[in-house]
Amino acid sequence: MVLPAILFLVVFSYIPMVGVVMSFVDYNPVVGFAQSEWVGLKYFKELFTDQAFPMIMKNTLGMNLIGLAVSFPAAILFALLLNEVRVGWFKKTVQTASYLPHFVSWVIFGGIIIQMLSAGNDGIINNLLLRMGLIDRPINFMGEPSLFWGIHIASSLIKGLGWNSIMYIAAIGGINGELYEAAEIDGAGRFRKMWNITLPGISATIVIMLIFAISGILNSSMDSTLVLQNDLNYTASETIDMYVYHVGISNYRFSYATAIGLLKSVVALILLLTANYTSKKITDKGLF
Amino acid sequence: MIMLVLFIICVMTFYIFWYCVVGAFSTGDDFANGKNWLWPANFTWANIRSVLADTDIYQAFFISFLRTIIGTVTSVLFTLTVAYGMSDPTLKFRKFYSIFMIFTMFFSGGLIPTFILYDNIGLMDNFLVYIIPALFSVYNMILMRTSISEIPKAVLEAAWVDGCGKYRTLWNVVMPMSKGVIAAISLFNAVGHWNSYYDTLMFTSDPELQTAQFYLYNMIAKAEKVNEMLSQGIFSNPNVVMNVSSQSVRMAAVLIVSLPILVVYPFVQKHLVKGVMIGSIKE
């Protein structure tokens, strides 16, 4: 019963892993691997001299680090706030509304965001800002590279906020209620209970989510970037993953794109192991 | 105070979708001039009609439904079978299989080797590219295995004594007893299939294989697609075209493609949340 899955993973996971050998040869699809010339580290060296390299590194790390710094605490805060709500129906409504964006695709969500940010008269955000007198000319949000990071981070935040908080809500639900009662007897207020009971109670979940987030710091969501990217904001929206796609699939530079992808995977694996190791040393909690 | 903050967040989220609804039912002129904020000034079906007049969208919806149904059923059955196998403590090399599987969650060959693999095994431009690579998920297998291992041993043994084979036991005992986790994982699978457009973009070029999401992606990413639709509309019904603009038509298309999710979501939300909880408890 298990063997079909092993076979499946051999084909769909392990063969592509062996396929990374492609990055050490001048892969030619016509003649195949065997006839392709071995070039060693040529493509890895090329990456570091590639003019696009600083740009894709900056965009990937910049967007992910700022995004993490914003959305990671936001999800925890959201869960804490929701936990303070005592009115049942209100809590349910908030949860229903805040989870919804997670379930619509990025094409749908991004499509609406792009429309809201439109620079024409139809863009509601520009309309609003003009009426409030904050700007005197419409801003071309999607065409301005300097605004792309903000737009991407903000829309990802709205899309994922509710859903990302579920893990924490579940963890809060698992905290022993007697702890709160005891704290109340000792005269602890709302904030004290949050700080001294709830947060330590969900610290294991926080650590695990953080390890995952750190190991994914070089990944970017293709789903969102493909929708939000355009020729005008390219310099701010091109990430490592998008570059691999453009170089490999659009320009057929298979070996070079594989080399970039391989380097990224290796660094991500190292990051994961380091984060896990560090967390185990410091907090005694880890993924494995 | 807390309730106010949460209320504002909710209203903002809700408004994003409401804005799309208003756009979809506004006349092109009104929408282009930003007249509509909360309610269409002049209600019209013209945008919806012009999207539905495009024959491509029917094919796209058909492909989306087909991949969602076939993809979900096959993946859940396959993954469940493996999970049942893996839940057997007497299984030889169980530890090795586990590591072999989990490793693939943290390291992959990347896009290009996958692309070339699909090309070599004939998945390019093939409907099966939506189904086969999604057949097995290590993460879902772990969730299912956890749930199966909670079934009392005595129940499984009783099935054995009654002469049930492995697959009979799976079908008649394990499946009914893991309804919760199966429901949750099926829903996640279905949502994933329905929302996916990346695989259409990467691995197909045949317009017959485009999904509803990809259809929408083309409308948003490429202005020509909308203009082509509008010019087709002129021939079929001049009145309609006067009432629409590329922006309002786009919002109508967004609304139509998101409709299945919006309709189903309130009913299945509970199960989806439960599904995540199963995962979090495991961790």
Side-chain angles (χ1 to χ4, degrees):
Chain A
M1 288 176 127
V2 174
L3 286 178
I6 299 297
L7 199 68
F8 177 93
L9 291 178
V10 167
V11 174
F12 288 99
S13 293
Y14 285 91
I15 288 182
M17 281 184 213
V18 177
V20 298
V21 175
M22 202 178 341
S23 54
F24 301 100
V25 300
D26 249 328
Y27 179 67
N28 180 343
V30 181
V31 296
F33 274 113
Q35 307 293 322
S36 299
E37 192 196 344
W38 184 266
V39 294
L41 294 175
K42 176 185 158 195
Y43 287 111
F44 295 92
K45 284 178 193 147
E46 184 180 338
L47 174 63
F48 291 103
T49 53
D50 191 331
Q51 283 188 337
F53 181 66
M55 174 182 81
I56 59 173
M57 281 309 282
K58 187 178 148 206
N59 289 337
T60 309
L61 286 175
M63 249 186 292
N64 282 343
L65 286 173
I66 300 173
L68 184 67
V70 173
S71 60
F72 196 83
I76 299 172
L77 194 66
F78 189 76
L80 290 175
L81 287 181
L82 206 59
N83 188 48
E84 295 299 314
V85 174
R86 296 280 166 263
V87 188
W89 64 266
F90 183 76
K91 198 171 174 173
K92 279 225 172 71
T93 315
V94 173
Q95 282 176 302
T96 304
S98 61
Y99 299 161
L100 177 63
H102 175 80
F103 290 103
V104 299
S105 71
W106 260 108
V107 186
I108 290 170
F109 196 73
I112 305 176
I113 297 283
I114 291 170
Q115 176 59 45
M116 291 181 106
L117 293 174
S118 160
N121 283 329
D122 52 324
I124 186 163
I125 304 285
N126 267 316
N127 255 320
L128 214 62
L129 293 175
L130 282 171
R131 280 191 202 190
M132 283 160 67
L134 291 172
I135 50 172
D136 43 307
R137 258 184 321 141
I139 301 170
N140 185 5
F141 284 103
M142 296 314 297
E144 186 57 61
S146 61
L147 297 175
F148 184 85
W149 287 14
I151 292 169
H152 187 263
I153 290 166
S155 42
S156 305
L157 176 70
I158 300 172
K159 196 168 187 295
L161 179 66
W163 191 252
N164 293 341
S165 71
I166 289 195
M167 286 289 190
Y168 303 115
I169 294 172
I172 292 172
I175 297 173
N176 188 348
E178 286 171 18
L179 289 174
Y180 291 103
E181 284 163 27
E184 261 164 51
I185 293 167
D186 289 344
R190 220 182 207 186
F191 187 73
R192 262 219 98 76
K193 278 190 283 182
M194 209 188 260
W195 189 254
N196 287 334
I197 301 175
T198 315
L199 270 180
I202 61 174
S203 61
T205 311
I206 295 178
V207 167
I208 285 169
M209 301 302 272
L210 200 59
I211 295 175
F212 270 119
I214 288 171
S215 69
I217 210 81
L218 291 179
N219 297 334
S220 39
S221 149
M222 293 282 280
D223 270 2
S224 56
T225 320
L226 278 167
V227 173
L228 297 177
Q229 183 176 67
N230 57 43
D231 293 345
L232 295 174
N233 64 32
Y234 173 86
T235 50
S237 59
E238 188 76 346
T239 56
I240 300 177
D241 285 331
M242 289 296 285
Y243 194 61
V244 168
Y245 163 62
H246 284 136
V247 167
I249 310 275
S250 309
N251 297 334
Y252 303 108
R253 298 197 57 206
F254 290 137
S255 289
Y256 185 38
T258 308
I260 305 172
L262 173 62
L263 208 59
K264 196 199 78 166
S265 295
V266 170
V267 174
L269 193 64
I270 295 171
L271 281 176
L272 174 75
L273 296 175
T274 315
N276 193 52
Y277 178 80
T278 316
S279 150
K280 264 191 171 161
K281 278 271 150 161
I282 298 173
T283 66
D284 225 25
K285 288 163 191 140
L287 217 48
F288 39 74
Chain B
M1 179 60 196
I2 287 173
M3 279 171 82
L4 187 69
V5 172
L6 292 173
F7 181 72
I8 292 171
I9 294 175
C10 278
V11 170
M12 272 169 52
T13 313
F14 178 76
Y15 185 73
I16 293 174
F17 294 96
W18 184 246
Y19 177 77
C20 163
V21 175
V22 171
F25 292 106
S26 294
T27 61
D29 273 352
D30 284 352
F31 193 59
N33 291 320
K35 280 185 190 162
N36 302 314
W37 296 66
L38 293 172
W39 198 256
N42 298 292
F43 186 88
T44 174
W45 285 97
N47 302 303
I48 304 276
R49 264 196 224 123
S50 30
V51 176
L52 293 180
D54 185 10
T55 48
D56 287 352
I57 198 173
Y58 297 99
Q59 171 71 12
F61 261 87
F62 174 69
I63 293 288
S64 277
F65 275 119
L66 205 62
R67 74 170 283 185
T68 302
I69 293 165
I70 298 177
T72 304
V73 171
T74 52
S75 171
V76 168
L77 285 180
F78 186 84
T79 307
L80 183 73
T81 311
V82 179
Y84 176 51
M86 287 292 285
S87 73
D88 178 3
T90 63
L91 179 74
K92 261 191 188 170
F93 310 120
R94 195 165 88 129
K95 187 92 193 159
F96 167 75
Y97 290 148
S98 236
I99 294 168
F100 188 85
M101 288 178 184
I102 290 171
F103 183 67
T104 64
M105 290 172 82
F106 298 110
F107 192 78
S108 80
L111 176 66
I112 308 299
T114 307
F115 185 85
I116 289 171
L117 171 74
Y118 288 4
D119 196 27
N120 282 328
I121 58 178
L123 282 179
M124 267 326 160
D125 255 331
N126 185 334
F127 177 74
L128 291 175
V129 77
Y130 297 141
I131 309 296
I132 294 179
L135 210 49
F136 182 61
S137 146
V138 177
Y139 184 72
N140 289 344
M141 190 283 291
I142 294 172
L143 294 189
M144 286 172 164
R145 187 182 62 184
T146 311
S147 160
I148 292 172
S149 62
E150 277 156 17
I151 298 173
K153 269 230 158 60
V155 176
L156 295 176
E157 272 160 19
W160 277 102
V161 172
D162 285 348
C164 281
K166 270 200 266 179
Y167 289 91
R168 278 281 303 270
T169 313
L170 173 65
W171 189 260
N172 289 337
V173 181
V174 174
M175 256 171 72
M177 293 188 80
S178 328
K179 260 191 225 148
V181 72
I182 292 175
I185 289 173
S186 302
L187 286 170
F188 278 113
N189 250 305
V191 172
H193 269 293
W194 181 262
N195 281 344
S196 172
Y197 73 98
Y198 175 84
D199 41 16
T200 312
L201 180 71
M202 296 287 165
F203 308 123
T204 72
S205 52
D206 185 353
E208 297 270 297
L209 287 175
Q210 73 173 349
T211 55
Q213 302 292 339
F214 187 72
Y215 173 88
L216 191 62
Y217 171 73
N218 272 338
M219 273 189 84
I220 288 163
K222 297 178 189 157
E224 311 93 72
K225 175 69 193 162
V226 187
N227 295 335
E228 180 194 315
M229 261 176 64
L230 291 180
S231 61
Q232 272 173 4
I234 293 176
F235 297 111
S236 57
N237 188 350
N239 295 330
V240 164
V241 178
M242 309 241 317
N243 283 330
V244 302
S245 69
S246 58
Q247 288 92 348
S248 59
V249 167
R250 238 181 231 142
M251 287 300 103
V254 168
L255 183 64
I256 291 171
V257 174
S258 51
L259 213 54
I261 292 275
L262 296 181
V263 168
V264 175
Y265 173 72
F267 301 101
V268 299
Q269 194 229 116
K270 204 175 62 190
H271 299 282
L272 290 166
V273 174
K274 245 187 237 158
V276 184
M277 302 289 185
I278 299 169
S280 69
I281 288 160
K282 190 241 131 202
E283 282 171 348

